[in-house]
């Protein structure tokens, strides 16, 4: 599993996404086992990142179950991995990292 996550984070880093990180949600009551979050530079950058992920991951057998895009937020569903590509403003506003940390803390 970790190699899949490392590959995704490397692709995002190579394409200049900022502050890419992953959160392990396995063992939690959450929609995915892993969450990857990265900050985009602008909306075209988010679209470019999503395209690059699909270009590199689909031939390796990765299944893209769904992709939702707006100018500030792109969500890619790989089933057990959810990828959030967000503008800096949206990442700060929605603070998914804090939400997931609180979710994990409440389960302990």
């Amino acid at each position: 599993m970790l190699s899949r996550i490392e590959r995704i984070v490397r692709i995002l880093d190579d394409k200049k996404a900022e502050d890419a990180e992953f959160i392990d949600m396995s063992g939690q009551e959450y929609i995915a086992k892993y969450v990857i979050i990265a900050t985009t530079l602008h909306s075209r950058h988010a679209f470019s990142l999503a395209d690059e992920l699909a270009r590199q991951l689909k031939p390796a057998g990765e299944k893209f179950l769904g992709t939702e895009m707006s100018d500030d937020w792109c969500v890619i569903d790989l089933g057990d991995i959810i990828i959030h590509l967000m503008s800096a403003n949206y990442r700060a506003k929605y603070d998914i990292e804090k939400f997931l940390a609180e979710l994990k803390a409440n389960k302990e």
Side-chain angles (χ1 to χ4, degrees):
M1 175 57 66
L2 201 51
S3 64
R4 288 173 61 213
I5 293 168
E6 290 169 343
R7 183 172 187 193
I8 293 166
V9 170
R10 182 177 34 85
I11 292 167
L12 294 173
D13 284 342
D14 288 350
K15 293 298 178 183
K16 308 298 185 225
E18 297 178 347
D19 301 320
E21 65 176 279
F22 84 94
I23 301 165
D24 184 347
M25 294 301 292
S26 58
Q28 306 297 314
E29 291 182 22
Y30 192 66
I31 59 174
K33 290 183 182 179
Y34 301 94
V35 178
I36 299 173
I37 305 168
T39 302
T40 62
L41 302 175
H42 46 74
S43 61
R44 286 188 313 216
H45 187 224
F47 296 128
S48 174
L49 290 169
D51 285 344
E52 186 64 19
L53 287 168
R55 188 185 71 73
Q56 290 195 38
L57 298 175
K58 282 184 178 180
E62 200 70 63
K63 302 282 189 238
F64 282 61
L65 303 177
T67 302
E68 295 289 329
M69 291 190 188
S70 74
D71 287 343
D72 291 296
W73 196 341
C74 174
V75 180
I76 302 168
D77 182 357
L78 303 179
D80 57 344
I81 301 172
I82 300 289
I83 303 168
H84 295 276
L85 306 174
M86 307 171 79
S87 68
N89 288 341
Y90 265 53
R91 190 165 180 180
K93 179 179 179 178
Y94 290 100
D95 202 356
I96 294 173
E97 297 93 331
K98 180 180 177 186
F99 168 76
L100 295 176
E102 289 174 357
L103 184 65
K104 287 172 78 169
N106 288 337
K107 288 292 179 182
E108 295 173 351

